[in-house]
Amino acid sequence: MLESAIPEHLRKERKCPVSTPPNYNPPFPGYCARFPKKMENLVLAIIGAQYPAGTDDNRTGISTIKNFMTDIPENVRPSSWETASVTDKRGFFNIAVFAYWPSTEIHKEWEVESGFEAWWKSSDRESEVHGWFKEVLCPSVDRFETVFSNHEHPEGAANMQEKISGEMREHAYWGSMRDRFAAAQDDKLVGESWNTRGGTHKSGNESKRVRVPGKKNLTIIRSGQDWSDTLPEERKLYLETMHPVLISGMNFLRDSGQDVGCYSMNLWDVVDSKTHEASLERTFGLGYFDDLTSLEYWSKSHQTHINIFGGFLMYAKKLDNVLSLRLFHEIYVLEQSQQSLEIFGLQ
Ligand code: HEM
């Protein structure tokens, strides 16, 4: 019996119809996270440092951030966190901690009790040789959705689940992402188109700091790939047929994304949290779109994603749906008040 992606307590009368085909049976299994009923929102904080190419020490900054995740009372620790890095299109090396909390209150307590807030606000930060960035995404649960291919390995926000769903109905057809959003039952979640985006402004007396204003229904995707457990045949299949296409899809969005409503896209490597080596065979695309429709449009019309989507169907069929490749994505459609981005010293 297939389960609905939207849990019962978030269901309401639909004004926006679903796209699920009649008598639909997904071609491969997909799962979502069931959060506790009392959970109203969640937080993903992305806190990182940016270095010019060739900087000798590009580790000290991120080590400090990691200490704020671990050397603190247990009740305010993030539910999970990991470190990832990417060299951006201008050659700057970025490394960040991605950390999750099960409510905005606990995240706030963490900021204060860990000493992070005082440290972040200190003017000492502005005289460091590298830049800093901090993004805090805090969607209400109806503005968040996640889907994953392997129910034994929840990733990201799904680590805060009370349980994993059974096999889910709303997946593997175009439009299923929208059908999984509780908020999309009666709201088209229209964003602000690329051309009307506002500028950035400096905040108060911290003249070097820039706070990027929030945007209505800003849509963010974190789409992950983990091939660390694949055996040689499947690994070859992934690395030869999907990974290169993924890279060209991500490069298109990174370099020409404005043509399709994408503000920013990078393919990050999840790195070893101690050595910072990118040896884990896990990547994720992190992208920012002006509207959920823009993300839908790219995913169903760009040849790279059409190829990896179609390739994945064949891949799953060939392996009888017994896959060691793990895919997940999580998507945020945020109110302006649910996003905060602060940067300084970035190039
Ligand atoms: C959906 C394959 C990477 C964006 C899907 C689905 C598959 C797939 C099979 C259907 C999932 C489901 O509903 O069960 C892949 C593969 C990837 C990959 C094999 C990499 C190897 C990405 C990346 C992005 C992306 C990096 C964007 C950053 C999307 C979106 C959907 C989707 C937006 C939902 C479409 C909708 O429901 O309307 N992808 N994908 N994918 N993928 Fe990917």
Side-chain angles (χ1 to χ4, degrees):
M1 175 81 168
L2 294 168
E3 286 187 20
S4 165
I6 300 177
E8 207 172 329
H9 67 281
L10 295 179
R11 276 181 225 153
K12 51 183 159 176
E13 195 189 335
R14 264 206 181 270
K15 297 198 176 119
C16 309
V18 290
S19 308
T20 325
N23 305 318
Y24 181 65
N25 218 351
F28 56 90
Y31 307 88
C32 66
R34 300 294 189 205
F35 297 121
K37 243 189 202 169
K38 63 176 194 316
M39 189 165 148
E40 291 177 356
N41 51 36
L42 60 94
V43 176
L44 165 59
I46 306 169
I47 308 166
Q50 187 200 59
Y51 300 85
T55 310
D56 289 340
D57 172 21
N58 56 21
R59 291 168 182 223
T60 311
I62 203 68
S63 300
T64 310
I65 304 293
K66 288 190 306 189
N67 291 341
F68 284 118
M69 302 294 150
T70 51
D71 300 351
I72 48 169
E74 206 170 322
N75 61 321
V76 296
R77 270 187 213 157
S79 302
S80 67
W81 62 275
E82 59 193 355
T83 313
S85 72
V86 64
T87 298
D88 63 32
K89 65 179 168 189
R90 288 162 314 135
F92 287 87
F93 177 73
N94 299 268
I95 182 160
V97 164
F98 288 67
Y100 293 84
W101 285 264
S103 75
T104 48
E105 286 79 21
I106 304 178
H107 170 253
K108 188 74 213 156
E109 281 165 27
W110 166 78
E111 284 199 313
V112 176
E113 286 183 33
S114 67
F116 172 79
E117 188 171 76
W119 174 87
W120 177 259
K121 285 186 171 160
S122 161
S123 57
D124 293 350
R125 299 291 75 69
E126 290 155 30
S127 51
E128 279 165 340
V129 291
H130 59 83
W132 288 105
F133 52 94
K134 173 169 73 92
E135 293 173 43
V136 181
L137 318 179
C138 40
S140 42
V141 285
D142 62 340
R143 286 174 162 268
F144 173 84
E145 76 92 2
T146 182
V147 57
F148 34 92
S149 63
N150 184 305
H151 62 293
E152 286 169 1
H153 280 83
E155 291 240 23
N159 282 302
M160 298 184 282
Q161 43 84 19
E162 186 174 65
K163 61 179 183 163
I164 303 289
S165 74
E167 287 190 27
M168 194 176 52
R169 181 180 308 106
E170 297 87 357
H171 82 105
Y173 59 87
W174 300 126
S176 62
M177 161 175 68
R178 185 180 288 273
D179 292 349
R180 292 188 291 269
F181 271 101
Q185 292 170 104
D186 59 358
D187 183 342
K188 292 193 173 127
L189 301 174
V190 178
E192 294 170 50
S193 74
W194 170 270
N195 292 329
T196 59
R197 71 191 189 278
T200 55
H201 68 269
K202 309 248 176 194
S203 65
N205 55 9
E206 299 159 329
S207 60
K208 290 184 189 163
R209 294 178 187 243
V210 175
R211 292 216 180 100
V212 180
K215 294 183 65 61
K216 188 177 177 211
N217 290 328
L218 178 73
T219 298
I220 301 177
I221 181 167
R222 181 173 179 215
S223 165
Q225 305 79 36
D226 176 350
W227 64 100
S228 58
D229 277 346
T230 53
L231 293 171
E233 192 192 351
E234 190 181 348
R235 173 177 302 254
K236 189 167 156 37
L237 196 59
Y238 176 71
L239 289 176
E240 289 181 4
T241 63
M242 264 182 238
H243 197 64
V245 195
L246 169 68
I247 291 174
S248 63
M250 297 297 95
N251 286 350
F252 165 79
L253 286 173
R254 186 192 65 187
D255 301 336
S256 317
Q258 66 272 27
D259 298 344
V260 291
C262 176
Y263 293 114
S264 157
M265 172 60 77
N266 278 296
L267 185 62
W268 293 71
D269 287 302
V270 181
V271 301
D272 184 287
S273 64
K274 291 206 175 71
T275 65
H276 303 155
E277 298 296 324
S279 54
L280 299 182
E281 303 186 309
R282 290 172 61 205
T283 52
F284 61 85
L286 179 68
Y288 300 73
F289 289 75
D290 57 4
D291 189 295
L292 187 60
T293 315
S294 301
L295 175 58
E296 287 174 317
Y297 179 75
W298 174 80
S299 69
K300 71 173 177 204
S301 66
H302 199 253
Q303 202 55 46
T304 52
H305 194 259
I306 293 175
N307 289 354
I308 41 182
F309 186 98
F312 182 76
L313 294 183
M314 286 190 293
Y315 179 119
K317 201 168 173 195
K318 195 165 169 187
L319 298 171
D320 245 351
N321 285 340
V322 184
L323 307 185
S324 303
L325 170 69
R326 294 190 281 265
L327 298 175
F328 86 101
H329 77 212
E330 54 188 37
I331 293 166
Y332 302 74
V333 180
L334 301 166
E335 307 258 26
Q336 274 166 296
S337 59
Q338 296 174 339
Q339 34 184 310
S340 121
L341 167 57
E342 192 174 340
I343 53 183
F344 52 99
L346 295 193
Q347 304 296 320

